Amino acid sequence: MKFKLGVSACVIGEKVRFDRGHKRSSFVCRELSEFAEFVPVCPEVAIGLPVPRPTIRLLDHDNEIRLVDTKDNDIDHTQKMITFSETKATHLSEQELCGYVVCAKSPTCGMERVKVYRENGYVAAEKIGVGLYTKALMEKMPWLPIEEDGRLNDPVLKENFVFRAFALRDLYDAMADGITKRAIIEFHSRYKLVLMAHCPKEYRALGQFVARVADHDIKEFFFEYRTRLMQALAFRASRKNNTNVLMHLQGYFKRSLDKKQKAELAELILAYRKGEMPLLVPLTLINHHLTMHPDAYIAKQKYLKPYPDSLRLRYGL
């Protein structure tokens, strides 16, 4: 089943930018299209701005961020954009959206480091801007994986974003028959090693939280769990944490492998820790041993196969 992926319309090739252009992302359009159902939005077009159109920018006006025309600060689109953004974000929050790819540097869609200008026309270096539309998405859906198109060229950021999108789809699928205590516990059990790799602190805290699921209203529990889970997974798994998980997995085979096999696996884990080979290498051997020596608990761990192999995202980790 495909997951719903919000996108800035220009990122999938729609010619909606101010100059009739686009910012088509090859990764999004070619590699993610098999797994994602795109939900395109251009907030500037949505509030009635034409294509082509005058450029717009964020302006620091009396310590308030305004969205104005670049050449005429009196042409102000702020309130119209805020109204649209909040309404759209509320609508999308009810659609089981699993991720969002936004256009970098845009005064409406940029996720970070968007230029903010002073009245005199110079960039306010001390101001760190966020596009007004993306700001509404982040505030309304703090659990939602959001990434800029350009940052997806980084293999680590790309892997983390895609993994979170698949994890959120998995969470929704796990609750398809209703949000129940059993469904939450079973889902969480499959993500224990993932959490151990991404955020050991929240791995422990969420484990305690899930243990007390019966003490909460189940829907309120789910909403809090979703946010805490996704925010924990936003921490990128470090080499150190991945090594700890690999060693943890190694322990499950201590009675199944002979001395030579144990040494081979230990050497691969050490080589990964030293940065001499990618994570995929020791994981491939662990999956091989799991096929030969099945273990029900390990087999269901999402850490071993968090997304389709065809995406080839662990090659560079």
Side-chain angles (χ1 to χ4, degrees):
M1 182 178 181
K2 289 189 174 185
F3 60 81
K4 287 187 178 180
L5 182 70
V7 291
S8 292
C10 60
V11 169
I12 58 170
E14 294 188 18
K15 297 180 179 180
V16 293
R17 286 174 60 78
F18 68 96
D19 57 357
R20 287 198 183 99
H22 62 79
K23 287 191 66 179
R24 185 178 184 276
S25 166
S26 177
F27 172 72
V28 173
C29 293
R30 291 183 182 179
E31 300 181 51
L32 279 188
S33 58
E34 179 182 349
F35 309 102
E37 174 190 339
F38 298 138
V39 182
V41 178
C42 176
E44 293 167 31
V45 171
I47 66 168
L49 296 182
V51 179
R53 57 183 173 273
T55 58
I56 57 178
R57 65 183 182 181
L58 297 181
L59 177 73
D60 182 9
H61 177 70
D62 294 334
N63 290 320
E64 183 180 6
I65 301 300
R66 312 296 298 175
L67 181 67
V68 301
D69 270 26
T70 298
K71 294 183 178 180
D72 188 349
N73 292 348
D74 291 332
I75 301 178
D76 193 314
H77 309 284
T78 310
Q79 193 53 54
K80 187 177 288 188
M81 182 57 69
I82 288 176
T83 299
F84 165 77
S85 299
E86 291 180 349
T87 301
K88 188 66 174 179
T90 298
H91 171 72
L92 291 174
S93 70
E94 301 168 352
Q95 302 302 307
E96 290 193 352
L97 209 62
C98 294
Y100 213 114
V101 179
V102 296
C103 180
K105 301 180 182 179
S106 163
T108 57
C109 294
M111 187 179 77
E112 59 180 26
R113 300 190 303 276
V114 179
K115 290 182 179 179
V116 177
Y117 291 82
R118 298 192 182 97
E119 301 274 7
N120 61 13
Y122 289 96
V123 175
E126 72 282 2
K127 295 287 184 179
I128 301 176
V130 177
L132 297 190
Y133 176 66
T134 297
K135 184 173 183 287
L137 293 176
M138 296 167 71
E139 291 176 349
K140 187 66 179 178
M141 294 178 279
W143 63 85
L144 185 69
I146 300 177
E147 193 53 271
E148 291 182 335
D149 55 339
R151 283 165 52 96
L152 290 175
N153 293 319
D154 182 301
V156 176
L157 296 178
K158 177 167 64 177
E159 191 276 341
N160 182 257
F161 171 75
V162 174
F163 164 64
R164 285 183 287 148
F166 273 98
L168 188 52
R169 180 67 265 166
D170 193 18
L171 177 62
Y172 289 140
D173 288 345
M175 306 299 143
D177 293 330
I179 302 172
T180 64
K181 174 183 174 181
R182 179 178 179 179
I184 289 172
I185 291 174
E186 288 182 352
F187 173 87
H188 183 74
S189 177
R190 292 190 284 114
Y191 279 80
K192 284 186 176 181
L193 297 185
V194 165
L195 284 164
M196 188 184 297
H198 284 258
C199 187
K201 180 179 179 181
E202 194 65 0
Y203 159 73
R204 294 186 289 271
L206 269 179
Q208 295 171 359
F209 184 54
V210 171
R212 300 192 301 271
V213 60
D215 299 335
H216 300 263
D217 174 85
I218 195 65
K219 287 190 176 180
E220 291 180 0
F221 180 93
F222 171 77
F223 294 144
E224 182 176 347
Y225 177 81
R226 176 179 60 180
T227 297
R228 290 179 60 177
L229 172 75
M230 298 311 298
Q231 290 180 345
L233 299 186
F235 289 94
R236 296 183 290 279
S238 67
R239 191 171 293 273
K240 176 184 176 182
N241 288 344
N242 274 326
T243 299
N244 289 339
V245 173
L246 292 172
M247 294 176 67
H248 184 80
L249 286 166
Q250 182 184 29
Y252 280 87
F253 298 104
K254 62 183 179 181
R255 295 180 181 177
S256 305
L257 307 183
D258 59 32
K259 185 176 181 180
K260 183 179 179 180
Q261 290 173 322
K262 290 177 182 177
E264 179 187 27
L265 180 54
E267 287 174 7
L268 292 183
I269 293 173
L270 178 60
Y272 164 73
R273 184 179 69 81
K274 291 181 176 180
E276 297 173 354
M277 59 180 57
L279 177 62
L280 185 63
V281 175
L283 278 178
T284 298
L285 183 56
I286 287 172
N287 276 311
H288 168 72
H289 288 320
L290 185 60
T291 300
M292 303 303 295
H293 309 284
D295 181 287
Y297 174 75
I298 295 300
K300 69 180 182 180
Q301 290 300 308
K302 271 294 178 178
Y303 182 83
L304 294 176
K305 190 173 182 178
Y307 36 70
D309 293 337
S310 59
L311 284 166
R312 305 181 302 279
L313 294 176
R314 277 178 161 170
Y315 283 42
L317 299 183

